[in-house]
Amino acid sequence: GGPTVAPGVVGQALNFDNVNDYITMGATGLTGDLTATWSAWIKTNSVISNDLQAITHIGDSGTALNSFSLFLNNGGSGVLSLEYAGGNGCATAAGTITPGQWYHVAGTKTAGAINTTSTIYVNGATVTCTGSASTPTVATGGSQIGNWINGTQWFDGSIDEVRLYNR
């Protein structure tokens, strides 16, 4: 199956079942130590601390530092994270995201080390995130909404108005 249509923030959103729903968007052309921004409206059904829920993803998740993703992290309930694979990311404190509420989330990355060039925004406000001092080298590869590229870590809830910018 695929995601189903649900009421969204702007018209209709897509609802993902945390089992096998996702959307493939194809190659983005964004690679290396990229400058990029992911943004989306999300409403999750759960934020259990042992569950990774991918919102968006580009690159190759099989190799450390080869991807750029925005997701709910298993580091604690309600943790929002920018992840570059291999445990290299920038994560917010627990409780940033709660189930059943719409949030506008965005993650930005400019060239350089993750901990000095990554910023997470929730509802337009900068949220402190701590992260790795490594520099990513995002690989060519596909992009997806609602799933980590390796077929795991499904989103549980609705996603609306996804955007990927090369700035």
Side-chain angles (χ1 to χ4, degrees):
T4 57
V5 175
V9 174
V10 181
Q12 296 177 325
L14 291 176
N15 189 59
F16 297 82
D17 67 4
N18 196 25
V19 175
N20 61 0
D21 291 350
Y22 69 97
I23 296 171
T24 299
M25 299 184 305
T28 65
L30 297 172
T31 60
D33 184 14
L34 56 76
T35 294
T37 300
W38 276 118
S39 71
W41 283 94
I42 65 165
K43 182 171 77 171
T44 184
N45 294 326
S46 64
V47 288
I48 25 187
S49 62
N50 64 350
D51 188 22
L52 291 164
Q53 293 185 44
I55 301 165
T56 56
H57 177 87
I58 60 173
D60 171 16
S61 64
T63 305
L65 299 169
N66 276 8
S67 67
F68 178 53
S69 304
L70 183 62
F71 65 92
L72 295 178
N73 194 328
N74 66 350
S77 293
V79 173
L80 184 64
S81 180
L82 277 174
E83 176 67 28
Y84 305 92
N88 297 285
C90 178
T92 68
T96 300
I97 304 295
T98 57
Q101 180 176 334
W102 281 105
Y103 293 91
H104 186 262
V105 297
T108 65
K109 167 74 177 75
T110 57
I114 294 165
N115 62 343
T116 60
T117 64
S118 296
T119 306
I120 294 176
Y121 299 90
V122 177
N123 293 333
T126 303
V127 178
T128 301
C129 67
T130 56
S132 164
S134 299
T135 300
T137 54
V138 175
T140 58
S143 56
Q144 294 184 335
I145 299 171
N147 176 25
W148 187 261
I149 203 87
N150 64 1
T152 62
Q153 302 158 0
W154 310 94
F155 192 76
D156 180 17
S158 296
I159 302 175
D160 198 5
E161 297 296 308
V162 173
R163 301 286 186 265
L164 173 62
Y165 302 97
N166 63 348
R167 59 181 185 251

